[in-house]
Amino acid sequence: MSIEAQNITKKFGQFAALNDVSLKIPSGELVALLGPSGSGKTTLLRIIAGLEFPESGTVRFDGEDITSRNTRDRRVGFVFQHYALFRHMTVFENIAFGLRVRPRGLRPAKYEIRTKVHELLKLIQLQNLASRYPSQLSGGQRQRVALARALAVEPSVLLLDEPFGSLDAKVRVELRRWLRQLHDEVHITSVFVTHDQDEALEVSDRVAVMNEGSIEQVGSPDEVYHYPSTAFVYNFLGNVNLFHGRTDGESQFANDGGAGNGEVAYARPHLLEIQRQANGGSHFRATIKHINSAGPLVKIEAIAEWGTPVHVEMSQEKFHDLQLARDEAVFITPKELKVFQSKAV
Amino acid sequence: MAAPRRAATAATGESAAMRWTLIGVAVLFLAVFIFLPLGVVFAQALSKGVSTYWQSLRQPDALAAMRLTLLAAAIAVPLNLVFGVAAAWAIAKFDFVGKSLLITLIDLPFSVSPVVSGLIYVLIFGLQGLMGPWLARHDIQIIFAVPGIILATIFVTLPFVARELIPLLQAQGQEEEEAALALGASGWQTFFRVSLPNIKWGLLYGVILCNARAMGEFGAVSVVSGHIRGRTNTMPLHIEILYNEYQFSAAFAVASLLALLALATLVMKTLVEWRARRLLAESARWDGEEKTV
């Protein structure tokens, strides 16, 4: 089922959580709402779920206006950051809940419920834990139960609010790969909220980057990473170096060390090249201050000629060839610079 | 007293002499102010033999007082149960104008002297009161009658359930309810299947305390009752009358029933607390155990 949010505005008192936000999600896609806390991503998700209602704007499922419909009638599966499992019910009862509360005529028979729940238990690989209580499960297991509970009612869309937010790093990565796999099998339209760019880029078909109640950019992970449309998106999706300056003539960026009030250029650490000799290009001088070679990439911190720190990443091989040392004077050439007219973030 | 055999091991530990003195003071205090009076009640009640004891309990006036006390509690407790759950729910789960005022109002019966609570009802429903003439014209008697006693009982016991539930509900948040609604449950289904099971122990605790107070209330009820023997006397009022008439063993016989009620309340309260704590400990224990399968 496709989801369409149109011109959504939501205020909490004086605070505008969402500012005229529009987003279209085609049927069967897995979309990430990515942004820092307070950017309105969770509010947008809750409005789609019917747990919150917008001041203005419409929400459509498959073209049908459902803005005024409450959660109960929207047939959405919602997964909470802190699981929200019913603590006095076993895993089995939790998953069966959505089927058992159906009106008499629509309620499946007992054996049908049992079959369905066992199917889902198999899907989340927790068959032998059906009679445990939520407090007897680990965080990752609880979140899988929450997911199974949401899927039991065969929702038309699946909405996940920071689903991996309260898990530790290792379980997190495992579970998000599992979610991706699950989506490839079930193909239910899914939206998930996250503040973790790796998570968004790895799991989703498309990413909507949000900031201060607006959507900055929507696109495939590749698009938003390589072709960010605003300085915020570029900044949020990875580490950056910032250069103040202005563009001279043919897109030649000249650094003025922040003195001017012109533009801001960004370069990712791995897109800066360190050289021993000047090569006549658009390089600048710098002094190496710190080297961290533990990890797949070598991370180098240098001080640019105008006095601000610059971060550079290079491969171990390259580092080995260059034989860099602390306090050494080098030249740095940006291989790629993104220039944004907007103010610095 | 013997000298302490060795110094206390922990920095905060006291010497044995100090420990025994502290424990002794506490025990002595309890003995003088709680165990002794409780013992006296039963001793006095049975001082003229068991048959006198039974007879004083079987007096028509005593039986009427018991019936009235049970009636007042039977009406006040369920009403305050419903009110307490509704008020606690509204306060814990919604934001609305006048929320802090409502919390203050719920606490009012605790902060106002019971006598004043009784007087409020006399001022409203009494013959000279606000609604007095209207009530008299329609031949409805509230003050110096059973309705007044029930109203006063409801008033003084109003905070118990709500006060017990508000912190509990606030701590739980509303994610479970939201989850139930998203899964298609109706409001009632959500309440009975999700919310109520989560608060049942706190609720039971509040009801037990509410009931104890409803049966033992003296001040407010005394003001509105009029002390009509056999008709508007509750057990505490009946005891006072008997005592003032120098029928000590009869007074203490009825008093012993209230004392038994207090003991039963204490036992139930402890049981509920123990059960709730065990549930908590159980989930905490599981949380600490191995988490993979």
Side-chain angles (χ1 to χ4, degrees):
Chain A
M1 189 177 281
S2 72
I3 304 170
E4 192 185 350
Q6 210 171 41
N7 307 103
I8 301 284
T9 296
K10 173 77 186 174
K11 286 192 177 71
F12 291 113
Q14 291 297 307
F15 175 70
L18 289 175
N19 229 330
D20 196 29
V21 167
S22 297
L23 178 66
K24 256 188 182 165
I25 299 164
S27 189
E29 248 188 21
L30 175 54
V31 172
L33 299 179
L34 174 67
S37 55
S39 59
K41 53 196 193 308
T42 293
T43 308
L44 180 57
L45 190 80
R46 288 172 63 87
I47 285 173
I48 294 172
L51 293 170
E52 215 87 66
F53 291 91
E55 258 85 69
S56 64
T58 46
V59 181
R60 289 198 178 84
F61 281 1
D62 266 350
E64 191 186 347
D65 185 348
I66 50 133
T67 316
S68 55
R69 219 181 270 175
N70 60 31
T71 318
R72 200 186 162 204
D73 306 321
R74 288 197 190 187
R75 288 190 7 107
V76 296
F78 201 95
V79 176
F80 295 81
Q81 179 179 358
H82 302 291
Y83 330 120
L85 292 176
F86 306 128
R87 67 196 94 176
H88 61 283
M89 293 183 202
T90 61
V91 167
F92 183 96
E93 288 162 354
N94 261 285
I95 298 173
F97 183 88
L99 301 172
R100 285 188 177 156
V101 295
R102 281 195 187 159
R104 205 164 292 256
L106 300 168
R107 198 183 308 155
K110 267 210 173 109
Y111 72 92
E112 284 174 307
I113 293 179
R114 192 186 308 273
T115 316
K116 178 91 199 170
V117 173
H118 280 294
E119 241 169 60
L120 285 160
L121 280 169
K122 208 170 149 194
L123 184 74
I124 60 168
Q125 296 147 15
L126 293 178
Q127 294 103 304
N128 46 353
L129 298 186
S131 55
R132 287 239 184 141
Y133 285 90
S135 58
Q136 303 169 334
L137 302 177
S138 71
Q141 291 170 338
R142 285 182 209 183
Q143 198 55 292
R144 277 186 279 165
V145 173
L147 204 59
R149 180 179 69 176
L151 289 173
V153 293
E154 286 166 12
S156 45
V157 300
L158 187 60
L159 307 171
L160 308 103
D161 183 12
E162 298 262 9
F164 317 119
S166 23
L167 303 171
D168 45 38
K170 193 121 191 177
V171 184
R172 228 178 145 113
V173 173
E174 251 168 58
L175 205 56
R176 76 192 192 206
R177 292 198 176 134
W178 179 77
L179 176 71
R180 180 67 242 185
Q181 242 175 32
L182 182 81
H183 185 265
D184 290 343
E185 283 166 29
V186 188
H187 274 301
I188 175 173
T189 312
S190 308
V191 185
F192 81 102
V193 158
T194 180
H195 62 265
D196 181 335
Q197 65 273 27
D198 290 338
E199 200 169 288
L201 296 178
E202 184 180 322
V203 176
S204 60
D205 296 320
R206 283 199 308 149
V207 181
V209 185
M210 294 189 68
N211 180 36
E212 291 181 350
S214 310
I215 292 181
E216 297 261 333
Q217 188 178 2
V218 184
S220 69
D222 226 40
E223 273 166 21
V224 292
Y225 187 79
H226 291 294
Y227 308 101
S229 61
T230 67
F232 175 83
V233 175
Y234 193 73
N235 210 352
F236 196 73
L237 287 181
N239 296 322
V240 289
N241 287 295
L242 210 91
F243 303 105
H244 295 275
R246 80 194 94 75
T247 325
D248 295 334
E250 305 294 291
S251 74
Q252 183 70 20
F253 188 79
N255 201 301
D256 62 7
N261 48 6
E263 293 144 337
V264 181
Y266 294 86
R268 298 227 184 268
H270 66 274
L271 294 173
L272 291 177
E273 200 174 6
I274 295 187
Q275 281 154 327
R276 284 260 159 92
Q277 273 86 39
N279 64 353
S282 56
H283 57 75
F284 58 88
R285 288 166 208 279
T287 315
I288 292 176
K289 278 292 161 208
H290 187 77
I291 299 171
N292 172 13
S293 58
L297 290 173
V298 181
K299 292 172 184 148
I300 295 167
E301 188 185 325
I303 301 291
E305 53 189 283
W306 52 87
T308 55
V310 178
H311 297 271
V312 182
E313 286 173 11
M314 62 171 72
S315 66
Q316 295 278 2
E317 291 93 334
K318 184 96 193 283
F319 178 69
H320 196 73
D321 289 347
L322 279 170
Q323 291 288 335
L324 295 170
R326 273 182 73 170
D327 293 326
E328 203 173 329
V330 292
F331 295 95
I332 299 179
T333 312
K335 285 188 276 189
E336 188 190 310
L337 268 182
K338 286 262 189 271
V339 182
F340 294 102
Q341 199 64 47
S342 57
K343 59 191 187 307
V345 181
Chain B
M1 197 180 281
R5 252 168 282 161
R6 67 188 164 92
T9 46
T12 52
E14 300 290 349
S15 68
M18 184 55 123
R19 256 182 288 155
W20 285 111
T21 312
L22 285 173
I23 293 171
V25 168
V27 169
L28 193 72
F29 192 86
L30 281 176
V32 171
F33 288 97
I34 296 184
F35 298 128
L36 191 67
L38 204 60
V40 168
V41 168
F42 288 102
Q44 283 284 337
L46 295 165
S47 63
K48 291 190 179 157
V50 178
S51 63
T52 322
Y53 179 79
W54 278 120
Q55 248 163 26
S56 1
L57 289 185
R58 280 213 300 269
Q59 260 182 5
D61 288 352
L63 286 175
M66 289 176 214
R67 267 198 298 273
L68 185 56
T69 292
L70 288 175
L71 176 73
I75 293 173
V77 173
L79 281 179
N80 276 333
L81 173 75
V82 173
F83 167 80
V85 171
W89 191 267
I91 285 167
K93 310 262 168 177
F94 306 112
D95 277 317
F96 53 88
V97 183
K99 183 162 151 174
S100 53
L101 183 72
L102 181 60
I103 298 176
T104 314
L105 283 178
I106 288 174
D107 276 347
L108 189 71
F110 274 171
S111 51
V112 165
S113 158
V115 178
V116 178
S117 319
L119 279 174
I120 293 168
Y121 285 102
V122 175
L123 287 177
I124 297 173
F125 299 116
L127 261 183
Q128 265 72 47
L130 270 176
M131 294 176 64
W134 186 87
L135 288 170
R137 244 180 289 136
H138 291 81
D139 207 19
I140 302 170
Q141 198 177 5
I142 290 178
I143 297 305
F144 306 139
V146 175
I149 291 168
I150 290 168
L151 279 176
T153 308
I154 290 171
F155 182 81
V156 282
T157 58
L158 182 134
F160 286 97
V161 175
R163 286 279 299 242
E164 200 58 47
L165 291 185
I166 290 169
L168 198 63
L169 286 169
Q170 273 171 339
Q172 282 175 354
Q174 47 195 29
E175 278 201 339
E176 282 185 50
E177 278 87 12
E178 284 181 346
L181 290 172
L183 287 168
S186 67
W188 287 113
Q189 281 173 324
T190 304
F191 179 75
F192 283 108
R193 287 172 181 240
V194 175
S195 316
L196 200 59
N198 277 340
I199 58 169
K200 66 180 172 201
W201 292 108
L203 191 63
L204 188 58
Y205 189 88
V207 164
I208 290 169
L209 291 182
C210 180
N211 182 59
R213 181 66 190 268
M215 291 192 173
E217 175 55 26
F218 178 81
V221 170
S222 173
V223 177
V224 296
S225 137
H227 304 275
I228 305 164
R229 214 179 275 219
R231 283 179 48 205
T232 64
N233 266 349
T234 59
M235 279 165 74
L237 301 181
H238 187 64
I239 295 166
E240 194 209 16
I241 290 179
L242 291 174
Y243 184 81
N244 287 343
E245 290 172 350
Y246 304 103
Q247 302 186 42
F248 294 132
S249 57
F252 280 107
V254 183
S256 71
L257 287 185
L258 281 181
L260 280 177
L261 169 74
L263 289 176
T265 304
L266 217 60
V267 171
M268 281 191 286
K269 182 170 145 295
T270 314
L271 276 178
V272 169
E273 273 174 347
W274 173 76
R275 174 102 179 102
R277 223 187 0 251
R278 218 186 49 155
L279 282 178
L280 260 178
E282 208 163 74
S283 61
R285 185 163 54 85
W286 277 103
D287 271 346
E289 269 181 23
E290 51 130 8
K291 287 178 173 179
T292 46
V293 177

